[in-house]
Amino acid sequence: MDEQVLTDQLWKRLEPLIPIPARRYRFPGRRRVDNRTALEGILFVVRTGIRWNDLPATAFGVSGATCWRRLTEWHHAGVWQQLHETLLAELRSAGLLDLAHTVVDASHLRALKGGTSPVPARSTGAGWAASTT
C-alpha cells in the first residue's frame, strides 16, 4: 500500500455511479461496508494479483469475500461501463483523448454459435459408423 490508487478525484467521479440498495427494516442484518473501503480492497486485489481470500482484512477493514460480492454487484449494475463512458467523455471534451494509437480489445466477447470448428464433429449415432472400405 505504498501509493494511493483511489484518489479523492477518482472517488468523486465514481461515487454517484454506485447504486445504494435499500436497507430492509424487518431483518436488516449487518450494516454494509463502506463502498470506498470495498473499492480499495478490490483495487488492491487487482493490482497485486492475490486471491480474494488472501486480502488482508486487518489492513483494509473488509474481507476479500465482501469485496468480491461488491464487485459482482457493481458489475451487474453497470457501474464500470458508466465510469468508462464518463471518463472517455471527459477526456474527449478536454482534448486529451488520442485515438491514433487505439487497440480494440475483444477478448471478452462471446464467440458466435455455429461457427467453423477446427475438428470434425463426432458422430451422435447409437452405434459404430458403417465401414466405407
Side-chain angles (χ1 to χ4, degrees), residues 129-133:
S131 176
T132 57
T133 56

Side-chain angles (χ1 to χ4, degrees), residues 3 7 9 11-13 17 22 31 33 43 55 61 76 83 91 95 101 105-107 110-111 118 121 125 127-128 132:
E3 64 184 47
T7 62
Q9 296 166 342
W11 179 245
K12 285 179 185 176
R13 288 181 177 145
L17 303 176
R31 287 211 173 268
V33 173
L43 293 176
L55 180 72
H76 290 303
L83 177 65
L91 288 172
H101 303 288
D105 179 18
S107 62
R110 291 179 48 200
W128 292 94
T132 57

